[in-house]
Amino acid sequence: PNILVRDYLTTIGQSDPKFEAHANELIERGYKKLIAFETKEKGYEWFGGAPGHEALTAYGLMQFNDMKKVYSGVDQNMIDRTANWLMASKDGKGGYKRNARALDNFGGASQNITDAYITYALACANYENIKMELDHLYEEAKSPKDAYVMGLAANALFAYHKDKRAASILNELMKKQEADGSFMGANHSITRSTDKALRVETTSLAIMAMLQSDEIKAESLNKAVDYLTKARSGYGDFGNTQSTI
C-alpha cells in the first residue's frame, strides 16, 4: 500500500514531505523483510525455504519493480537474478515448469493461468527474452474463453514494445464487458480468487489494458471504473487482498 500511495502522489504531482518520509521508512523496512524470503537456490518462497515458488516469485518481481520507482534502495542485481531464475523454469514450449514441492493454494492455479501470469510479470518488468512465451500466451488468449487470461495477455503484449497483437486481444476482451461494466474470469485467478474477487481482478486488468489503447471508447472505460468504485467496501477494500491490490 505504501508503494501504491507514493506512486499515486508522484503521478498527480502532490507532495507531502512528512508523509513521504514516513512512507519511505516503512517501504525500506518492508523491503528488508521481503528479500529475506529469497531462497538459497534463488527465487522466493513463503518462508524462504527451497524450492522457490514460481508464481509467488513472479508476483514478487512485479512488486520489486513497482517499489524501485519510489525507493532507490532496491537492488537491481536481485531483481535480475530473480527474473533469471524464472527464465530458467521455461519448459521450451512457451510455458514454465513448476516444482511440485512448492505447490499450495497460490501455486494451485491452473497451468495456463500460471504461465500467463509469469509471462505477464516478465513483460511488465521489461525483460526481452520471452518471445516464445508471449507467442504462446497470445495463442491461449486468441480463443476467447477466459477474460482473466485475455487481460493478462493484453497487458503483457502492450508492455512488450506495444506489440500490435495487444489490440486484437483487447478488442475481443471488450466483447466480454457486462452491462454493469465489469469483466468476469472463467474460473479463477493466479491466487485462485473466485466470485466477486475474480470479477474485480479481471475488471482491473481490463482497465489497465484499456488505458494503453487509443481505440477504446471512453464510455466503456468509464463503465468499468464505475463498477470498481461500487465494488469498494465501506472499509476501502475490494474483497480479498489480491483484488484490492
Side-chain angles (χ1 to χ4, degrees), residues 118-146:
I118 294 174
T119 298
Y120 162 66
L122 288 167
C124 289
N126 299 315
Y127 286 95
E128 293 286 328
N129 189 23
I130 53 171
K131 187 178 184 306
M132 179 186 291
E133 289 69 31
L134 279 169
D135 290 346
H136 177 73
L137 177 53
Y138 173 68
E139 292 299 324
E140 281 281 317
K142 266 202 320 187
S143 177
K145 298 176 182 178
D146 190 340

Side-chain angles (χ1 to χ4, degrees), residues 20-34:
E20 289 181 10
H22 182 56
N24 287 342
E25 180 185 341
L26 294 174
I27 291 170
E28 180 178 14
R29 193 184 310 166
Y31 173 72
K32 290 178 179 178
K33 288 182 178 180
L34 283 171

Side-chain angles (χ1 to χ4, degrees), residues 105 109 113 148 184-202 240-243:
N105 280 344
I113 286 176
Y148 180 77
M184 183 60 174
N187 187 268
H188 61 272
S189 72
I190 187 63
T191 50
R192 292 204 64 86
S193 298
T194 57
D195 302 323
K196 178 186 174 182
L198 176 59
R199 187 177 294 277
V200 168
E201 290 175 39
T202 308
N240 64 22
T241 301
Q242 177 70 355
S243 56

Side-chain angles (χ1 to χ4, degrees), residues 70-128:
V70 298
Y71 171 58
S72 61
V74 177
D75 181 1
Q76 184 63 46
N77 290 329
M78 177 275 295
I79 292 179
D80 289 339
R81 69 173 175 262
T82 298
N84 289 336
W85 183 85
L86 278 174
M87 295 280 196
S89 72
K90 291 179 180 181
D91 64 7
K93 303 174 184 177
Y96 305 85
K97 294 175 285 188
R98 294 190 287 173
N99 191 309
R101 289 192 294 137
L103 295 183
D104 49 34
N105 280 344
F106 194 106
S110 63
Q111 186 68 47
N112 71 313
I113 286 176
T114 302
D115 289 344
Y117 189 85
I118 294 174
T119 298
Y120 162 66
L122 288 167
C124 289
N126 299 315
Y127 286 95
E128 293 286 328

